[in-house]
């Protein structure tokens, strides 16, 4: 009794090979497309937090953190907080810490928490990004991730993604 009770895993079962293949395809497509658009346009479409967004959007599409509201709204809010904090207070470690905390609070208030967006204030503060970063890569890249997630995830189960748009 002791042995079986404590040795059993509470982890979810492994996804099907089809789900894994489509998750892989979606992630490669989203990061590949944003990278390619950056290459051909000369404008940034790609940022590191999108890799983590893809893990949620394609690997855990039922999660509240993977819904379009969270992906798009979370990235926009967190980036805006980072841009404002950096513009007003500089790029110190303390500003980075406060901006990340404020970004989380703002996402919570707006009901669009997206864990990967927690990195956005750090990205924009350290890079001294301009306000245009909100459009490209944040808005445009978020839209790429969401639209591909909509297409790829619905190959799994028609009508399964998103659970809600906004």
């Amino acid at each position: 009794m002791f042995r079986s009770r404590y040795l059993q895993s509470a982890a979810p079962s492994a996804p099907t090979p089809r789900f894994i293949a489509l998750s892989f395809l979606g992630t490669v497509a989203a990061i590949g497309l944003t990278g390619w658009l950056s290459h051909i346009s000369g404008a940034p479409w790609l940022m590191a937090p999108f890799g983590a967004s893809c893990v949620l959007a394609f690997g855990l599409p039922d999660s509240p953190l993977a819904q379009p509201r969270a992906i798009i709204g979370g990235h926009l809010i967190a980036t805006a907080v980072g841009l404002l904090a950096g513009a007003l207070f500089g790029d110190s470690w303390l500003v980075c810490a406060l901006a990340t905390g404020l970004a989380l609070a703002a996402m919570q208030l707006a009901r669009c928490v997206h864990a990967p967006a927690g990195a956005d204030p750090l990205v924009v503060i350290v890079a001294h990004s301009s306000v245009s970063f909100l459009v490209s890569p944040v808005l445009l890249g978020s839209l790429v991730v969401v639209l591909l997630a909509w297409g790829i995830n619905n190959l799994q189960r028609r009508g399964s993604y998103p659970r809600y748009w906004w």
Side-chain angles (χ1 to χ4, degrees):
M1 181 170 138
F2 173 82
R3 176 180 238 157
S4 65
R5 179 177 165 203
Y6 291 101
L7 293 180
Q8 289 181 343
S9 174
S13 59
T16 66
R18 175 179 166 81
F19 185 87
I20 292 169
L22 287 171
S23 297
F24 168 81
L25 176 68
T27 299
V28 170
I31 298 302
L33 182 57
T34 54
W36 179 73
L37 289 167
S38 294
H39 177 73
I40 65 165
S41 71
W45 282 69
L46 181 63
M47 63 177 185
F50 288 158
S53 294
C54 287
V55 170
L56 292 170
F58 299 105
L60 295 167
D62 292 335
S63 167
L65 302 176
Q67 301 311 304
R69 173 190 185 97
I71 294 172
I72 297 167
H75 278 301
L76 285 172
I77 288 169
T79 300
V81 168
L83 288 168
L84 184 61
L88 293 176
F89 305 111
D91 62 358
S92 74
W93 61 268
L94 183 56
V95 172
C96 289
L98 290 171
T100 303
L102 286 171
L104 173 58
M107 287 188 287
Q108 288 172 316
L109 286 170
R111 298 180 1 240
C112 56
V113 173
H114 184 62
D120 295 359
L122 303 175
V123 169
V124 298
I125 290 170
V126 171
H128 302 250
S129 299
S130 70
V131 175
S132 66
F133 202 84
L134 271 171
V135 175
S136 181
V138 175
L139 177 60
L140 296 176
S142 294
L143 288 170
V144 166
V145 172
V146 166
L147 291 174
L148 284 170
W150 175 69
I152 299 287
N153 287 324
N154 283 301
L155 291 174
Q156 294 283 357
R157 258 184 359 255
R158 188 179 173 110
S160 67
Y161 184 87
R163 294 288 182 208
Y164 50 90
W165 280 96
W166 204 252

